[in-house]
Amino acid sequence: MIKETEIKPLISEERLQTEIKKLADKFNKIYKNKEVYLICVLKGSVMFMADLAKHLNMPVKMEFIRLSSYGSGTTSSGKVNAVDIKLPDLNNKNVIIIEDIIDTGHTAKFLMDFLNHNFKFNDIKFCALLDKKCKRVANIEADYYCFEVDDKYLVGYGLDIDGNYRNLPYIGYIEV
Ligand code: IMP
Ligand code: MG
């Protein structure tokens, strides 16, 4: 297991919270008085979803799904597994997918295709805390994101290295 001293700070807790609050304010205007389903893509998005949701003031419902694309360590497998997708009837609903990070975009593409195949939404948007645009392979963009990041392996605030360090309140990177 890598040591916390090997994690170099990148985005402070304060910057995370400031940008998340701004995004929530934007959603509060866009979805004023409308019911919104937040779909949290576990496990990485758990912190982002919780902090964002606390600032929202429209009626909010929360759903949780699990996908995986990173096998172990820091290399992307490129293949996405639907580990657990159980959702209520989302036809005619307003949905915001909450993701920690878009990297190659395979996960986002898989999920959007899956959801659009199964439901006719009133509105669906893809929201990622972090966007590694330089790594994009799949043809997909986030509708909303808080930070564009370089091609570094990031940990903290939901993001893990072999299951560790999701609990950090900031985001850092490790040299791999
Ligand atoms: P994609 O399918 O390549 O876009 O990868 C998306 C998923 O890979 C994310 O939802 C994360 O769970 C994971 N991931 C991508 N980049 C990182 C990173 O730098 N640190 C930790 N997890 C990452
Ligand atoms: Mg994720």
Side-chain angles (χ1 to χ4, degrees), residues 3-4 27 30 40 67 75 77-78 85 96 98 110 113 125 129 131-132 138 140 156 169 172 175:
K3 298 194 205 78
E4 195 180 334
F27 287 156
I30 296 170
C40 175
L67 303 170
T75 38
S77 65
I85 305 188
I96 308 174
I98 307 293
F110 171 90
D113 289 350
K125 292 287 187 280
L129 177 67
D131 194 341
K132 255 189 219 177
I140 190 142
E175 313 275 10

Side-chain angles (χ1 to χ4, degrees), residues 69-70 76 99-107 132 152-154 159-160:
S69 82
Y70 269 38
S76 175
E99 252 287 38
D100 47 3
I101 184 165
I102 308 190
D103 184 355
T104 63
H106 288 307
T107 307
K132 255 189 219 177
K152 290 197 168 87
Y153 195 82
L154 308 177
L159 297 166
D160 71 304

Side-chain angles (χ1 to χ4, degrees), residues 23-149:
L23 182 62
D25 291 344
K26 199 185 276 183
F27 287 156
N28 283 333
K29 291 201 184 89
I30 296 170
Y31 297 97
K32 195 171 191 320
N33 298 328
K34 290 186 183 151
E35 184 184 68
V36 172
Y37 281 75
L38 301 179
I39 301 185
C40 175
V41 185
L42 293 171
K43 301 174 186 173
S45 310
V46 68
M47 300 286 191
F48 178 34
M49 162 102 150
D51 284 339
L52 179 74
K54 281 183 258 180
H55 297 296
L56 297 177
N57 49 35
M58 74 293 264
V60 166
K61 289 192 164 134
M62 295 184 186
E63 296 295 332
F64 298 84
I65 63 174
R66 235 182 120 190
L67 303 170
S68 72
S69 82
Y70 269 38
S72 69
T74 59
T75 38
S76 175
S77 65
K79 266 196 278 164
V80 181
N81 299 315
V83 178
D84 182 15
I85 305 188
K86 281 193 211 81
L87 290 166
D89 180 4
L90 295 174
N91 289 302
N92 303 313
K93 305 296 188 191
N94 303 309
V95 169
I96 308 174
I97 300 169
I98 307 293
E99 252 287 38
D100 47 3
I101 184 165
I102 308 190
D103 184 355
T104 63
H106 288 307
T107 307
K109 183 81 172 57
F110 171 90
L111 185 55
M112 285 302 267
D113 289 350
F114 174 88
L115 292 174
N116 282 314
H117 180 80
N118 283 279
F119 302 104
K120 286 258 171 295
F121 299 99
N122 182 53
D123 186 60
I124 183 161
K125 292 287 187 280
F126 199 99
C127 170
L129 177 67
L130 308 162
D131 194 341
K132 255 189 219 177
K133 284 185 191 289
C134 58
K135 288 279 295 293
R136 196 74 89 258
V137 177
N139 182 21
I140 190 142
E141 290 301 331
D143 297 294
Y144 305 97
Y145 65 90
C146 293
F147 302 92
E148 184 174 343
V149 290

